[in-house]
Amino acid sequence: NIYGSDYLLASLSMAKKNAKIGGVDKFIALTKMEAEWLDTKWEKGAVDKIITHPPEFSKHQNPRTMEKLYDAFFYNAGYLLKKDGVVAVVVRDTSLLKKAASKHKFKLSEEKTVFSGQQELKFAIFSRRVSSPQGNEPADQAEKNESADEHD
């Protein structure tokens, strides 16, 4: 199942129109909801992927406000996502997102430049940082080290 939410009715209306144009409106359930309430709709670890175009810093938004928003977002993502779940975002600048992601044990897995008309954007995928059984280093780094040892 695919679910979408936004707190702005205009955004939901646009999403519904786009889904209909794309022929996928029967597969998507859209609801009006504040991001802070997502954890009341789904159980812990129930979500595979979160895909979003979050609000961004601008001359009308204080960077500190955005830091708090992104912090709350990754806190909720940590609750909602399955262990192998990912967060995909489209933004102009990923710096504040990276900071919030790291605080909540997510790492940037991939980042690509994309365009919306002339506007350059970043498409970024965040995944959970996985600790090794000893907890000393990330599991992917431990696997690299083991692999290197085998070849010595």
Side-chain angles (χ1 to χ4, degrees):
N1 296 333
I2 301 172
Y3 299 95
S5 67
D6 201 300
Y7 69 99
L8 296 173
L9 288 176
S11 296
L12 285 172
S13 178
M14 236 185 326
K16 286 178 183 179
K17 286 177 187 175
N18 287 336
K20 188 167 187 153
I21 290 168
V24 296
D25 55 317
K26 291 176 177 55
F27 307 106
I28 301 175
L30 297 168
T31 59
K32 183 179 186 295
M33 182 182 298
E34 299 271 345
E36 294 83 18
W37 293 96
L38 291 174
D39 61 338
T40 64
K41 183 159 178 87
W42 291 282
E43 293 181 23
K44 184 175 183 175
V47 176
D48 295 310
K49 294 173 184 67
I50 297 173
I51 304 168
T52 185
H53 181 112
E56 296 188 68
F57 169 73
S58 71
K59 61 183 175 183
H60 304 290
Q61 285 284 9
N62 177 327
R64 184 70 187 124
T65 301
M66 299 316 304
E67 286 179 18
K68 287 180 182 178
L69 178 82
Y70 293 163
D71 183 56
F73 171 75
F74 276 102
Y75 174 83
N76 283 332
Y79 176 83
L80 294 170
L81 285 171
K82 294 179 179 179
K83 288 184 181 182
D84 60 347
V86 297
V87 172
V89 297
V90 177
V91 291
R92 289 187 313 266
D93 180 6
T94 58
S95 58
L96 289 177
L97 280 167
K98 289 176 187 175
K99 183 178 175 183
S102 179
K103 182 177 177 181
H104 294 283
K105 299 184 175 143
F106 284 86
K107 66 177 180 174
L108 181 65
S109 304
E110 189 174 345
E111 184 174 309
K112 294 183 184 236
T113 300
V114 296
F115 289 87
S116 176
Q118 297 295 315
Q119 177 71 53
E120 182 177 313
L121 300 168
K122 300 295 181 188
F123 177 75
I125 298 176
F126 293 89
S127 57
R128 294 180 190 266
R129 287 193 312 247
V130 180
S131 296
S132 66
Q134 295 84 13
N136 298 334
E137 58 186 299
D140 52 354
Q141 184 62 44
E143 289 170 11
K144 286 179 189 174
N145 291 344
E146 288 173 13
S147 177
D149 291 341
E150 289 172 8
H151 297 295
D152 290 340

